[in-house]
């Protein structure tokens, strides 16, 4: 649109957040990424949670990477009680036309 600048090169980092995860502690997140000629898996995923004032990194993060498009990448960590989870994603090819990040689904696990 006229209000948004055109994006022709992948950003170095992007983020996505989930809200409404109150209740039982959250100890994992699954993200299904698009993998094609323009999109790829991120180089890194950092997870943080909302502590009421700021996003704070979770502890003991382990990533099990997907091997194909649409399959979930699973991130596990020490469970946290929160209402919001944030994923900070680092592009494998920032500044290029093949380093974009695309997510088809994100789920928080208990």
């Amino acid at each position: 649109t006229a209000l948004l600048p055109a994006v022709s090169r992948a950003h170095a980092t992007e983020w996505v957040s989930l809200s409404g995860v109150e209740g039982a502690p959250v100890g994992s997140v699954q993200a299904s990424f698009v993998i094609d000629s323009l999109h790829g898996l991120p180089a890194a995923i950092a997870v943080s949670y909302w502590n009421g004032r700021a996003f704070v990194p979770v502890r003991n993060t382990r990533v099990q990477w997907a091997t194909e498009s649409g399959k979930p990448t699973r991130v596990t960590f020490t469970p946290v009680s929160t209402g919001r989870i944030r994923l900070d994603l680092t592009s494998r090819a920032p500044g290029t036309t093949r380093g974009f990040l695309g997510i088809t689904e994100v789920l928080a696990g208990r």
Side-chain angles (χ1 to χ4, degrees):
T1 70
L3 300 176
L4 299 174
V7 178
S8 59
R9 302 277 183 230
H11 296 148
T13 60
E14 294 287 354
W15 62 269
V16 63
S17 66
L18 296 169
S19 60
V21 296
E22 294 90 355
V26 176
S28 69
V29 176
Q30 288 188 155
S32 297
F33 292 94
V34 176
I35 302 172
D36 60 20
S37 62
L38 299 176
H39 302 86
L41 290 172
I45 300 174
V47 180
S48 54
Y49 70 98
W50 184 253
N51 72 358
R53 292 180 293 175
F55 281 100
V56 178
V58 297
R59 295 184 181 165
N60 303 315
T61 304
R62 288 190 10 204
V63 180
Q64 296 170 311
W65 293 101
T67 57
E68 57 187 87
S69 188
K71 298 294 183 181
T73 290
R74 183 173 168 85
V75 184
T76 58
F77 45 87
T78 301
V80 294
S81 293
T82 187
R84 291 189 263 175
I85 294 283
R86 178 176 162 144
L87 304 178
D88 288 289
L89 311 168
T90 304
S91 173
R92 288 185 187 269
T96 71
T97 58
R98 62 187 191 288
F100 293 103
L101 301 169
I103 298 175
T104 60
E105 183 176 49
V106 179
L107 300 170
R110 307 289 177 191

